Amino acid sequence: MSVWPMAQYSADRNAVFAVPDWDVSWSVDLSRDCPSNPALCIETGTPFVPAEINGDLSIAGTTLYVESYDRRLYALDALTGRVTWSSPMTNIAMNAPLISNGAVIVGTGGGLGYAYAPDSHGTQVLRRSQGDDVMAFDTATGHLLWTFHTAGENMPTGVVTDADGPKVVFTSGDELAYVLDVTGGTRASAVGTPGSGIMSSLALSDGIIYGSSGYGWGSPILYKAFATHDSVLAAHAGWTWAMSGGKLLWTSPYGNGHGSPVVGDGTVFVESTVVGSWTNISIWRTEVDALDAVTGRLRWRYVTAPGTAHSPGSNNDAIGGVYEAGVLYQTLPYARAFAAFDGASGRIVWAIPTHGIVKMSGVVAAGKLYFGDSEGYLYVVDAASGAVEQQVKFPSLFACSSPVIVGQTMFVANGSTLYALRLTDLNRGILSSAATP
């Protein structure tokens, strides 16, 4: 792997690689130096914010790249866990670092002080007053290569495309998808999107970019809708769309700005929230939709029974799934469950309850599904039957950072700690001593 073009590497979101055949075990807590080295941390007054990891991981060569809540980008030796360099970012980042042409590219945003505010054209922009950045760093040294400033936040992971030279595409809170040159960060073009880029990562498949965008729960647009009619039975608050050649090919009123699209076998899978009442979140539901990748037409739709929101780890209420061999493996946040769907028909193959809500995409390797929940349990599940083979308890909760498997090793974030875990150990329900903080 010399490039990392999107979140979880590919549009099916199954970040599993048979080679190189790594078999390593280690752990490193990125917050361990905060009290002694305040420059690595965010000063909040009580006393420091630890380096919690909410973004996905990326790997190129033998280097693992990750962003943390301490406003730094880290490069670690994937075989030993040693931090080779870390570089400051202008704000928090919660996306997967993109890697192309010797550059690792991140987008900043999130945290306090964000609100929907009209820009000079009256568009509702999700932003802080000073705006945010897309930043590129040298993969070997961490030296800052370029910065591209935007009015809105840049929280979703973008995509790298080689069409007309290496480009990176980022969606922003200012309702634009920016196309930037990888080598210099100059703006090549920008495409208007239906709503803000909030947390939904882009997907690239067969030259087409797929995204989901919309309006968060603080948006004046949603407040106005609920003030007019409180009981909105299908308030997705978002859209899914396809883009190519500098223009939108289609838009579809499914998905939202939190759940990332997953693409497989000509279908785009998205998740959203069905709002029963603004004043009663206990009757909200999770919805899973399958859209035709060419037209955006709805192929099938599944809606869960009502459930209650749960915020530890993140405020995301829609999460991307993982697609493997005709099956969509998808967390159902409001139902507090995880399910496998037949990708063609939408038939539920199996569904299992979880201790906490799952806010990450899983990964499927050698017939087993792996994912973690907000109560700190990592699950090993038979992908065909849904039988839970192991539940391994970790010290902290699992947030939105999804696992990556290389050879016989899983890389995963738990709180502020990065782990390299041997699959042979996980499959037996244990952590090796080298991976115990």
Side-chain angles (χ1 to χ4, degrees):
M1 295 171 288
S2 60
V3 300
W4 197 273
M6 69 192 84
Q8 291 299 91
Y9 190 81
S10 58
D12 60 14
R13 310 298 189 189
N14 197 28
V16 174
F17 306 89
V19 292
D21 192 17
W22 293 345
D23 186 15
V24 299
S25 178
W26 51 258
S27 66
V28 58
D29 185 351
L30 295 183
S31 70
R32 62 189 177 187
D33 292 328
C34 282
S36 60
N37 191 352
L40 294 179
C41 310
I42 303 172
E43 295 191 40
T44 63
T46 56
F48 299 105
V49 176
E52 181 176 306
I53 301 164
N54 266 343
D56 285 335
L57 315 177
S58 304
I59 296 175
T62 59
T63 303
L64 184 152
Y65 299 91
V66 63
E67 310 150 348
S68 81
Y69 207 77
D70 63 6
R71 304 189 188 195
R72 296 191 77 85
L73 172 67
Y74 290 85
L76 299 92
D77 185 310
L79 301 180
T80 66
R82 181 179 63 87
V83 176
T84 56
W85 57 257
S86 72
S87 296
M89 301 177 292
T90 54
N91 199 10
I92 298 165
M94 300 185 195
N95 39 52
L98 301 175
I99 302 166
S100 174
N101 285 66
V104 52
I105 306 163
V106 303
T108 69
L112 300 176
Y114 281 78
Y116 279 91
D119 63 9
S120 59
H121 303 288
T123 300
Q124 296 296 329
V125 177
L126 180 58
R127 64 178 180 178
R128 59 177 181 162
S129 59
Q130 61 267 54
D132 269 299
D133 299 298
V134 178
M135 308 177 70
F137 300 85
D138 184 274
T139 54
T141 66
H143 174 71
L144 179 64
L145 300 176
W146 53 259
T147 299
F148 180 83
H149 191 68
T150 59
E153 69 169 4
N154 307 296
M155 293 300 289
T157 304
V159 295
V160 172
T161 173
D162 288 327
D164 301 320
K167 300 288 193 300
V168 61
V169 183
F170 264 83
T171 49
S172 178
D174 57 18
E175 300 189 352
L176 288 172
Y178 291 97
V179 182
L180 310 176
D181 290 313
V182 167
T183 53
T186 56
R187 171 173 162 172
S189 62
V191 179
T193 58
S196 302
I198 304 174
M199 288 294 290
S200 175
S201 300
L202 299 179
L204 176 65
S205 179
D206 295 328
I208 298 176
I209 296 172
Y210 299 91
S212 293
S213 55
Y215 298 100
W217 300 118
S219 165
I221 294 174
L222 284 192
Y223 279 128
K224 182 178 179 180
F226 282 112
T228 303
H229 186 56
D230 180 71
S231 180
V232 182
L233 298 180
H236 298 87
W239 297 265
T240 298
W241 42 267
M243 184 180 90
S244 180
K247 65 179 181 180
L248 292 181
L249 303 179
W250 53 257
T251 62
S252 185
Y254 299 94
N256 69 22
H258 286 212
S260 303
V262 177
V263 186
D265 291 333
T267 304
V268 181
F269 303 96
V270 292
E271 186 169 83
S272 59
T273 299
V274 180
V275 180
S277 170
W278 181 246
T279 57
N280 185 0
I281 63 172
S282 66
I283 59 174
W284 291 10
R285 306 165 187 260
T286 293
E287 176 174 319
V288 182
D289 302 297
L291 312 176
D292 185 282
V294 176
T295 65
R297 178 181 58 85
L298 181 68
R299 287 183 168 174
W300 56 259
R301 175 177 182 246
Y302 173 83
V303 181
T304 67
T308 303
H310 183 64
S311 61
S314 81
N315 289 318
N316 282 20
D317 51 14
I319 293 91
V322 58
Y323 186 80
E324 172 68 13
V327 178
L328 174 71
Y329 300 92
Q330 180 72 59
T331 174
L332 305 174
Y334 282 94
R336 200 173 294 241
F338 204 103
F341 294 86
D342 179 272
S345 67
R347 175 182 62 87
I348 291 185
V349 179
W350 53 257
I352 56 174
T354 54
H355 294 282
I357 290 177
V358 178
K359 299 204 170 188
M360 63 162 65
S361 297
V363 287
V364 182
K368 298 184 188 299
L369 168 70
Y370 302 87
F371 60 85
D373 72 9
S374 61
E375 296 294 330
Y377 288 91
L378 191 142
Y379 297 74
V380 181
V381 179
D382 183 276
S385 67
V388 178
E389 298 181 352
Q390 302 292 344
Q391 298 179 55
V392 183
K393 189 70 170 67
F394 278 68
S396 186
L397 58 82
F398 288 99
C400 300
S401 184
S402 302
V404 174
I405 292 177
V406 182
Q408 304 304 310
T409 303
M410 173 189 288
F411 299 91
V412 67
N414 180 254
S416 61
T417 300
L418 279 171
Y419 290 87
L421 304 167
R422 290 190 172 93
L423 294 182
T424 52
D425 292 334
L426 282 179
N427 294 342
R428 291 186 294 156
I430 63 173
L431 294 176
S432 66
S433 58
T436 302

